[in-house]
Coordinates of all heavy atoms in Angstrom, one line a residue:
M1 N -54.7 16.6 5.9 CA -54.6 17.5 4.8 C -54.3 16.6 3.6 O -53.5 15.8 3.6 CB -53.5 18.5 5.1 CG -53.3 19.5 4.0 SD -52.0 20.6 4.3 CE -50.5 19.7 4.1
V2 N -55.0 17.1 2.5 CA -54.8 16.4 1.2 C -54.6 17.5 0.2 O -55.4 18.4 0.1 CB -56.0 15.5 0.8 CG1 -55.8 15.0 -0.6 CG2 -56.1 14.2 1.8
D3 N -53.6 17.4 -0.6 CA -53.3 18.3 -1.8 C -53.8 17.4 -3.0 O -53.2 16.4 -3.3 CB -51.8 18.5 -1.9 CG -51.5 19.5 -3.0 OD1 -52.3 19.8 -3.8 OD2 -50.3 19.9 -2.9
R4 N -54.9 17.9 -3.6 CA -55.6 17.1 -4.6 C -55.6 17.9 -6.0 O -56.0 19.1 -5.9 CB -57.0 16.8 -4.2 CG -57.8 15.9 -5.1 CD -59.2 15.6 -4.5 NE -59.3 15.2 -3.2 CZ -59.1 14.0 -2.7 NH1 -58.7 13.0 -3.5 NH2 -59.2 13.8 -1.4
Q5 N -55.3 17.3 -7.1 CA -55.3 17.7 -8.3 C -56.6 17.2 -9.0 O -56.7 15.9 -9.1 CB -54.1 17.4 -9.2 CG -54.1 18.1 -10.6 CD -53.9 19.6 -10.4 OE1 -53.2 20.1 -9.6 NE2 -54.7 20.4 -11.2
V6 N -57.5 18.0 -9.4 CA -58.8 17.5 -10.0 C -58.8 18.0 -11.4 O -58.7 19.2 -11.8 CB -60.1 18.2 -9.2 CG1 -61.3 17.8 -9.9 CG2 -60.0 17.8 -7.8
P7 N -58.9 17.0 -12.3 CA -58.9 17.3 -13.8 C -60.1 18.2 -14.1 O -61.2 18.1 -13.5 CB -59.0 15.9 -14.4 CG -58.6 15.0 -13.4 CD -58.9 15.6 -12.2
A8 N -60.0 19.0 -15.1 CA -61.0 19.9 -15.5 C -62.4 19.3 -15.8 O -63.4 19.7 -15.4 CB -60.6 20.8 -16.7
A9 N -62.3 18.1 -16.4 CA -63.5 17.3 -16.7 C -64.3 16.8 -15.4 O -65.4 16.5 -15.5 CB -63.2 16.1 -17.6
E10 N -63.6 16.8 -14.3 CA -64.2 16.2 -13.0 C -64.5 17.3 -12.0 O -65.0 17.1 -10.9 CB -63.2 15.3 -12.5 CG -63.0 13.9 -13.3 CD -61.9 13.1 -12.7 OE1 -61.6 13.2 -11.5 OE2 -61.3 12.2 -13.5
R11 N -64.1 18.5 -12.4 CA -64.2 19.7 -11.5 C -65.7 19.9 -10.9 O -65.9 20.0 -9.8 CB -63.8 20.9 -12.2 CG -63.8 22.2 -11.3 CD -63.4 23.5 -12.2 NE -63.6 24.6 -11.3 CZ -62.7 25.1 -10.5 NH1 -61.5 24.4 -10.3 NH2 -62.9 26.2 -9.8
S12 N -66.6 19.9 -11.8 CA -68.1 20.1 -11.5 C -68.5 19.1 -10.5 O -69.1 19.4 -9.4 CB -68.9 20.1 -12.6 OG -70.2 20.3 -12.2
A13 N -68.2 17.8 -10.7 CA -68.5 16.7 -9.8 C -68.0 16.9 -8.4 O -68.4 16.6 -7.4 CB -68.4 15.3 -10.4
Y14 N -66.6 17.2 -8.5 CA -65.8 17.4 -7.2 C -66.3 18.5 -6.4 O -66.7 18.3 -5.2 CB -64.4 17.7 -7.6 CG -63.5 18.1 -6.4 CD1 -63.1 17.2 -5.5 CD2 -63.2 19.5 -6.2 CE1 -62.3 17.4 -4.4 CE2 -62.5 19.8 -5.1 CZ -62.1 18.9 -4.2 OH -61.3 19.1 -3.1
L15 N -66.6 19.6 -7.0 CA -67.2 20.8 -6.3 C -68.6 20.5 -5.7 O -68.9 20.8 -4.6 CB -67.2 22.0 -7.2 CG -65.9 22.6 -7.5 CD1 -66.1 23.7 -8.5 CD2 -65.1 23.0 -6.3
T16 N -69.4 19.7 -6.4 CA -70.8 19.3 -6.0 C -70.6 18.3 -4.8 O -71.5 18.5 -3.8 CB -71.6 18.7 -7.1 OG1 -71.7 19.6 -8.2 CG2 -72.9 18.2 -6.7
G17 N -69.7 17.6 -4.9 CA -69.6 16.5 -3.7 C -69.0 17.1 -2.4 O -69.1 16.5 -1.4
L18 N -68.5 18.4 -2.5 CA -67.9 18.9 -1.2 C -69.0 19.2 -0.3 O -68.8 19.0 1.0 CB -67.2 20.2 -1.6 CG -65.9 20.1 -2.4 CD1 -65.3 21.4 -2.7 CD2 -64.9 19.2 -1.7
A19 N -70.2 19.6 -0.7 CA -71.3 19.8 0.2 C -71.6 18.6 1.0 O -71.8 18.7 2.3 CB -72.5 20.4 -0.5
A20 N -71.6 17.5 0.4 CA -72.0 16.2 1.1 C -71.0 15.8 2.1 O -71.2 15.5 3.2 CB -72.2 15.1 0.1
R21 N -69.6 16.1 1.7 CA -68.6 15.7 2.6 C -68.6 16.7 3.9 O -68.3 16.2 4.9 CB -67.3 15.8 1.9 CG -67.2 14.7 0.8 CD -66.0 14.8 -0.1 NE -64.7 14.7 0.7 CZ -63.5 15.1 0.1 NH1 -63.5 15.6 -1.1 NH2 -62.5 14.9 0.7
R22 N -68.9 18.0 3.6 CA -69.0 18.9 4.7 C -70.1 18.5 5.6 O -70.0 18.6 6.9 CB -69.1 20.3 4.3 CG -69.3 21.3 5.5 CD -69.3 22.7 5.1 NE -67.9 23.1 5.1 CZ -67.4 24.2 4.6 NH1 -68.3 25.1 4.0 NH2 -66.2 24.5 4.6
A23 N -71.2 18.1 5.1 CA -72.4 17.6 5.9 C -72.0 16.4 6.8 O -72.3 16.4 7.9 CB -73.6 17.3 5.0
V24 N -71.3 15.4 6.2 CA -70.8 14.3 7.0 C -69.9 14.8 8.2 O -70.0 14.3 9.4 CB -70.1 13.3 6.1 CG1 -69.3 12.3 7.0 CG2 -71.1 12.7 5.1
A25 N -69.0 15.8 7.8 CA -68.0 16.2 8.9 C -68.9 16.9 10.0 O -68.7 16.6 11.2 CB -67.1 17.2 8.3
T26 N -69.8 17.8 9.6 CA -70.6 18.4 10.7 C -71.4 17.5 11.5 O -71.4 17.6 12.8 CB -71.6 19.4 9.9 OG1 -70.8 20.4 9.2 CG2 -72.4 20.2 10.9
A27 N -71.9 16.4 10.8 CA -72.7 15.5 11.6 C -71.9 14.7 12.7 O -72.4 14.2 13.7 CB -73.4 14.5 10.7
Q28 N -70.6 14.7 12.4 CA -69.6 13.9 13.2 C -68.9 14.9 14.2 O -68.0 14.4 14.8 CB -68.6 13.1 12.3 CG -69.2 12.0 11.5 CD -68.2 11.4 10.7 OE1 -67.0 11.7 10.5 NE2 -68.6 10.3 10.0
G29 N -69.3 16.1 14.2 CA -68.7 17.0 15.1 C -67.3 17.5 14.6 O -66.4 17.9 15.3
Q30 N -67.1 17.4 13.2 CA -65.8 17.7 12.6 C -65.9 18.9 11.8 O -67.1 19.4 11.5 CB -65.2 16.6 11.9 CG -65.0 15.3 12.7 CD -64.6 14.2 11.9 OE1 -64.8 14.0 10.7 NE2 -64.0 13.2 12.6
H31 N -64.8 19.5 11.3 CA -64.8 20.6 10.4 C -64.1 20.3 9.1 O -63.1 19.4 9.2 CB -64.1 21.9 11.0 CG -64.7 22.2 12.3 ND1 -65.9 23.0 12.4 CD2 -64.4 22.0 13.6 CE1 -66.1 23.2 13.7 NE2 -65.3 22.6 14.4
F32 N -64.5 20.8 8.0 CA -64.0 20.5 6.7 C -63.8 21.8 5.9 O -64.8 22.4 5.7 CB -64.8 19.4 6.0 CG -64.4 19.0 4.7 CD1 -63.2 18.3 4.5 CD2 -65.2 19.3 3.5 CE1 -62.9 17.9 3.2 CE2 -64.8 18.8 2.4 CZ -63.7 18.1 2.2
W33 N -62.7 22.1 5.4 CA -62.4 23.2 4.6 C -61.6 22.8 3.3 O -60.9 21.9 3.3 CB -61.5 24.1 5.3 CG -62.0 24.7 6.5 CD1 -62.8 25.8 6.7 CD2 -61.6 24.2 7.8 NE1 -63.0 26.0 8.0 CE2 -62.3 25.1 8.7 CE3 -60.8 23.3 8.4 CZ2 -62.3 25.0 10.1 CZ3 -60.8 23.1 9.7 CH2 -61.5 23.9 10.6
V34 N -61.9 23.5 2.3 CA -61.2 23.3 0.9 C -60.8 24.6 0.4 O -61.6 25.6 0.4 CB -62.1 22.5 0.0 CG1 -61.4 22.3 -1.3 CG2 -62.6 21.2 0.6
F35 N -59.6 24.7 -0.1 CA -59.0 25.8 -0.7 C -58.5 25.5 -2.1 O -57.9 24.4 -2.3 CB -57.9 26.4 0.1 CG -58.3 26.8 1.5 CD1 -58.3 25.9 2.5 CD2 -58.8 28.1 1.7 CE1 -58.6 26.2 3.8 CE2 -59.1 28.5 3.1 CZ -59.1 27.6 4.1
E36 N -58.7 26.4 -3.0 CA -58.2 26.2 -4.4 C -57.0 27.2 -4.6 O -57.1 28.3 -4.2 CB -59.2 26.4 -5.4 CG -58.7 26.0 -6.8 CD -59.8 26.1 -8.0 OE1 -60.9 26.7 -7.6 OE2 -59.7 25.5 -9.0
C37 N -55.9 26.7 -5.2 CA -54.8 27.5 -5.5 C -55.1 28.4 -6.6 O -55.6 28.1 -7.7 CB -53.6 26.5 -6.0 SG -52.1 27.4 -6.3
E38 N -54.9 29.7 -6.3 CA -55.2 30.8 -7.4 C -54.4 30.6 -8.7 O -55.0 30.8 -9.7 CB -55.0 32.1 -6.8 CG -56.1 32.6 -5.8 CD -55.9 34.0 -5.4 OE1 -55.3 34.8 -6.2 OE2 -56.3 34.3 -4.4
G39 N -53.2 30.2 -8.6 CA -52.4 30.0 -9.7 C -52.5 28.7 -10.5 O -51.9 28.5 -11.6
E40 N -53.2 27.8 -9.9 CA -53.3 26.5 -10.4 C -54.8 26.0 -10.3 O -55.1 25.1 -9.4 CB -52.3 25.4 -9.7 CG -50.9 25.7 -9.9 CD -50.1 24.7 -9.1 OE1 -50.3 23.5 -9.4 OE2 -49.3 25.0 -8.3
P41 N -55.6 26.3 -11.3 CA -56.9 25.9 -11.3 C -57.0 24.4 -11.1 O -56.3 23.7 -11.8 CB -57.6 26.4 -12.5 CG -56.7 27.5 -12.8 CD -55.4 27.2 -12.4
G42 N -57.9 23.8 -10.3 CA -58.0 22.4 -10.1 C -57.2 21.8 -9.1 O -57.2 20.6 -8.7
R43 N -56.2 22.6 -8.5 CA -55.4 22.1 -7.3 C -56.1 22.6 -6.0 O -56.2 23.8 -5.8 CB -53.9 22.6 -7.4 CG -53.1 22.1 -6.3 CD -51.6 22.6 -6.5 NE -50.9 22.0 -5.3 CZ -49.8 22.4 -4.9 NH1 -49.1 23.4 -5.7 NH2 -49.1 21.8 -4.0
F44 N -56.5 21.6 -5.3 CA -57.2 21.9 -4.1 C -56.5 21.4 -2.8 O -55.8 20.3 -2.9 CB -58.6 21.2 -4.1 CG -59.4 21.8 -5.1 CD1 -59.5 21.2 -6.4 CD2 -60.3 22.9 -4.8 CE1 -60.2 21.7 -7.4 CE2 -61.1 23.4 -5.9 CZ -61.1 22.8 -7.2
L45 N -56.5 22.1 -1.7 CA -56.1 21.6 -0.4 C -57.3 21.3 0.5 O -58.1 22.3 0.7 CB -55.2 22.6 0.3 CG -53.7 22.7 -0.1 CD1 -53.0 23.8 0.6 CD2 -53.1 21.4 0.0
E46 N -57.4 20.2 0.9 CA -58.6 19.8 1.8 C -58.0 19.6 3.3 O -57.0 18.9 3.4 CB -59.2 18.4 1.3 CG -59.7 18.5 -0.1 CD -60.2 17.1 -0.5 OE1 -60.1 16.2 0.3 OE2 -60.7 17.0 -1.7
F47 N -58.7 20.2 4.2 CA -58.3 20.2 5.6 C -59.6 19.7 6.4 O -60.7 20.1 6.1 CB -58.0 21.5 6.1 CG -56.7 22.1 5.6 CD1 -56.9 22.9 4.4 CD2 -55.5 22.0 6.2 CE1 -55.7 23.6 3.9 CE2 -54.4 22.5 5.6 CZ -54.6 23.3 4.5
A48 N -59.3 18.8 7.3 CA -60.3 18.2 8.2 C -59.7 18.3 9.7 O -58.6 18.0 9.8 CB -60.8 16.9 7.9
E49 N -60.7 18.6 10.6 CA -60.2 18.6 12.0 C -61.3 18.1 12.8 O -62.6 18.3 12.4 CB -59.8 19.9 12.5 CG -60.8 20.9 12.6 CD -60.4 22.2 13.5 OE1 -59.4 22.2 14.2 OE2 -61.3 23.1 13.6
G50 N -61.1 17.5 13.9 CA -62.2 17.1 14.8 C -61.7 16.2 15.9 O -60.5 15.8 16.0
P51 N -62.6 15.9 16.8 CA -62.1 15.3 18.0 C -61.9 13.6 17.7 O -61.2 13.0 18.6 CB -63.3 15.4 19.0 CG -64.5 15.5 18.0 CD -64.0 16.3 16.9
D52 N -62.3 13.2 16.7 CA -62.1 11.8 16.4 C -61.2 11.5 15.2 O -61.6 11.5 14.1 CB -63.5 11.1 16.1 CG -63.5 9.7 16.0 OD1 -62.4 9.0 16.0 OD2 -64.6 9.1 15.7
A53 N -59.9 11.4 15.6 CA -58.9 11.3 14.6 C -59.1 9.9 13.7 O -58.5 10.0 12.6 CB -57.5 11.3 15.2
V54 N -59.8 9.0 14.2 CA -60.0 7.8 13.4 C -60.8 8.1 12.2 O -60.6 7.6 11.1 CB -60.7 6.8 14.3 CG1 -61.0 5.6 13.4 CG2 -59.8 6.4 15.5
R55 N -61.8 9.0 12.3 CA -62.6 9.3 11.1 C -62.1 10.2 10.1 O -62.6 10.3 9.0 CB -64.0 9.8 11.6 CG -64.7 8.7 12.4 CD -66.1 9.2 12.8 NE -66.8 8.2 13.5 CZ -67.9 8.5 14.1 NH1 -68.5 9.7 14.0 NH2 -68.5 7.5 14.7
L56 N -61.1 10.9 10.4 CA -60.6 12.1 9.6 C -60.1 11.6 8.2 O -60.4 12.1 7.2 CB -59.4 12.8 10.2 CG -59.9 13.7 11.4 CD1 -58.8 14.5 12.1 CD2 -61.0 14.8 11.0
P57 N -59.3 10.4 8.1 CA -58.9 9.9 6.8 C -60.0 9.6 5.9 O -59.9 9.8 4.7 CB -58.0 8.7 7.2 CG -57.6 8.9 8.5 CD -58.7 9.7 9.2
D58 N -61.1 9.0 6.5 CA -62.3 8.7 5.7 C -63.0 10.0 5.1 O -63.3 10.0 4.0 CB -63.4 8.0 6.5 CG -63.0 6.7 6.9 OD1 -62.1 6.0 6.2 OD2 -63.5 6.0 7.9
L59 N -62.9 11.0 5.9 CA -63.5 12.3 5.4 C -62.7 12.9 4.3 O -63.2 13.5 3.4 CB -63.5 13.3 6.6 CG -64.2 14.7 6.2 CD1 -65.6 14.5 5.8 CD2 -64.1 15.5 7.5
L60 N -61.4 12.7 4.4 CA -60.5 13.3 3.4 C -60.4 12.4 2.1 O -60.1 12.9 1.0 CB -59.1 13.5 3.9 CG -59.0 14.6 4.9 CD1 -57.6 14.6 5.5 CD2 -59.3 15.9 4.4
S61 N -60.9 11.1 2.2 CA -61.1 10.3 1.1 C -60.0 10.3 0.0 O -60.2 10.6 -1.1 CB -62.4 10.5 0.3 OG -62.4 11.7 -0.3
G62 N -58.7 10.1 0.5 CA -57.6 10.1 -0.4 C -56.3 9.9 0.3 O -56.4 9.9 1.6
P63 N -55.3 9.8 -0.3 CA -54.1 9.6 0.4 C -53.7 11.0 1.2 O -53.7 12.1 0.6 CB -53.0 9.4 -0.7 CG -53.6 10.0 -1.9 CD -55.2 9.8 -1.7
S64 N -53.6 10.8 2.5 CA -53.3 12.0 3.3 C -52.0 11.8 3.9 O -51.5 10.7 4.1 CB -54.4 12.3 4.3 OG -54.6 11.2 5.1
G65 N -51.4 12.9 4.4 CA -50.1 12.8 5.1 C -50.4 12.4 6.5 O -51.4 11.8 6.9
P66 N -49.4 12.7 7.4 CA -49.5 12.4 8.8 C -50.6 13.2 9.5 O -51.0 14.2 9.0 CB -48.2 12.8 9.4 CG -47.7 13.8 8.4 CD -48.2 13.4 7.1
M67 N -51.1 12.6 10.6 CA -52.1 13.4 11.4 C -51.3 14.4 12.1 O -50.3 14.3 12.7 CB -52.8 12.4 12.3 CG -53.6 11.3 11.6 SD -54.9 11.9 10.6 CE -56.1 12.4 11.8
W68 N -52.1 15.6 12.3 CA -51.5 16.7 13.0 C -52.3 17.1 14.2 O -53.5 16.9 14.2 CB -51.3 18.0 12.2 CG -50.4 17.8 11.0 CD1 -50.7 17.1 9.8 CD2 -49.1 18.2 10.9 NE1 -49.6 17.1 9.0 CE2 -48.6 17.8 9.6 CE3 -48.2 18.9 11.7 CZ2 -47.3 18.1 9.2 CZ3 -47.1 19.3 11.3 CH2 -46.5 18.8 10.1
R69 N -51.7 17.4 15.3 CA -52.5 17.7 16.5 C -52.2 19.2 16.8 O -50.9 19.6 16.8 CB -52.0 16.8 17.7 CG -52.7 17.0 19.0 CD -52.3 16.0 20.0 NE -51.2 15.2 19.3 CZ -50.8 14.0 19.7 NH1 -51.4 13.4 20.7 NH2 -49.9 13.4 19.2
E70 N -53.1 19.9 17.3 CA -53.0 21.3 17.7 C -52.1 21.5 18.9 O -52.2 20.7 19.8 CB -54.3 22.0 17.9 CG -54.2 23.5 18.3 CD -55.5 24.1 18.4 OE1 -56.5 23.5 18.5 OE2 -55.5 25.4 18.5
V71 N -51.2 22.4 18.9 CA -50.3 22.6 20.0 C -50.9 23.8 20.8 O -51.3 24.8 20.3 CB -48.9 23.0 19.5 CG1 -48.0 23.5 20.6 CG2 -48.3 21.9 18.7
A72 N -51.0 23.5 22.1 CA -51.5 24.6 23.1 C -50.4 25.6 23.2 O -49.3 25.3 23.4 CB -51.8 23.9 24.4
I73 N -50.7 26.9 22.9 CA -49.9 28.0 23.0 C -50.0 28.6 24.4 O -51.1 29.2 24.7 CB -50.0 29.0 21.9 CG1 -49.7 28.3 20.5 CG2 -49.1 30.2 22.1 CD1 -50.1 29.2 19.4
I74 N -49.0 28.5 25.2 CA -49.1 29.1 26.6 C -48.2 30.4 26.6 O -47.1 30.4 26.3 CB -48.5 28.0 27.6 CG1 -49.3 26.7 27.4 CG2 -48.6 28.6 29.0 CD1 -48.7 25.6 28.2
E75 N -48.9 31.4 27.0 CA -48.2 32.7 27.0 C -47.6 32.8 28.4 O -48.3 32.6 29.4 CB -49.3 33.8 26.8 CG -49.7 33.9 25.4 CD -50.5 35.1 25.1 OE1 -50.1 36.3 25.7 OE2 -51.4 35.2 24.3
D76 N -46.3 33.2 28.4 CA -45.6 33.4 29.6 C -45.7 34.9 30.0 O -45.6 35.8 29.2 CB -44.1 33.0 29.3 CG -43.3 33.0 30.6 OD1 -43.0 34.2 31.0 OD2 -42.8 31.9 31.0
A77 N -45.8 35.2 31.2 CA -45.8 36.5 31.7 C -44.6 37.3 31.4 O -44.6 38.6 31.3 CB -46.0 36.6 33.3
H78 N -43.5 36.7 31.1 CA -42.2 37.3 30.8 C -42.0 37.5 29.3 O -41.1 38.1 28.8 CB -41.1 36.6 31.4 CG -41.2 36.4 32.9 ND1 -41.0 37.5 33.7 CD2 -41.4 35.2 33.6 CE1 -41.2 36.9 35.0 NE2 -41.4 35.7 34.9
T79 N -43.0 37.0 28.5 CA -42.9 37.0 27.1 C -43.4 38.4 26.6 O -44.6 38.7 26.9 CB -43.6 35.9 26.4 OG1 -43.1 34.6 26.8 CG2 -43.5 35.9 24.8
P80 N -42.7 39.1 25.9 CA -43.2 40.5 25.4 C -44.4 40.2 24.4 O -44.3 39.3 23.6 CB -42.1 41.2 24.8 CG -41.0 40.2 24.5 CD -41.3 39.0 25.5
H81 N -45.5 41.0 24.5 CA -46.5 40.9 23.5 C -46.4 42.1 22.5 O -46.1 43.2 22.9 CB -47.8 41.1 24.4 CG -48.1 40.0 25.3 ND1 -48.5 38.7 25.1 CD2 -47.9 40.0 26.7 CE1 -48.5 38.0 26.2 NE2 -48.2 38.8 27.1
S82 N -46.8 41.7 21.3 CA -46.7 42.8 20.3 C -48.3 43.2 20.1 O -49.2 42.4 20.0 CB -46.1 42.4 19.0 OG -46.9 41.3 18.6
H83 N -48.6 44.4 20.0 CA -49.9 44.9 19.8 C -49.9 45.9 18.6 O -49.2 46.6 18.3 CB -50.4 45.7 21.1 CG -50.6 44.8 22.2 ND1 -51.6 43.9 22.4 CD2 -49.7 44.6 23.2 CE1 -51.4 43.2 23.5 NE2 -50.3 43.7 24.1

């Protein structure tokens, strides 16, 4: 995950480049999402996931935090379910 601040003058180029980055992710069997903060135009969160953790930092192309791994959620027969 990368929290990225994009200056207004670079916004158009950044947004245009997202399609190419997503295509690279897809070709590598990975997923790539980007969200923009509603209250802060130009602040984006980039997320990438995939089976090859080695390539994820390249996809995010910037300083990223620690790698995160999905936790398997195991439902216990004794755990109440809310519906």
Side-chain angles (χ1 to χ4, degrees):
M1 175 179 76
V2 172
D3 186 348
R4 185 180 312 278
Q5 186 67 44
V6 177
E10 298 173 18
R11 180 184 178 84
S12 179
Y14 171 77
L15 294 174
T16 299
L18 292 177
R21 292 171 66 195
R22 176 171 278 168
V24 168
T26 300
Q28 296 175 354
Q30 300 174 340
H31 302 281
F32 179 64
W33 299 275
V34 178
F35 299 87
E36 185 173 17
C37 182
E38 284 189 25
E40 295 180 54
R43 182 177 181 193
F44 296 90
L45 280 180
E46 301 176 359
F47 294 90
E49 70 163 354
D52 186 356
V54 173
R55 293 182 181 174
L56 291 178
D58 292 338
L59 181 61
L60 292 173
S61 70
S64 60
M67 298 300 288
W68 294 80
R69 185 178 2 204
E70 183 177 10
V71 174
I73 299 173
I74 302 169
E75 292 195 31
D76 185 291
H78 304 291
T79 303
H81 299 282
S82 60
H83 296 283

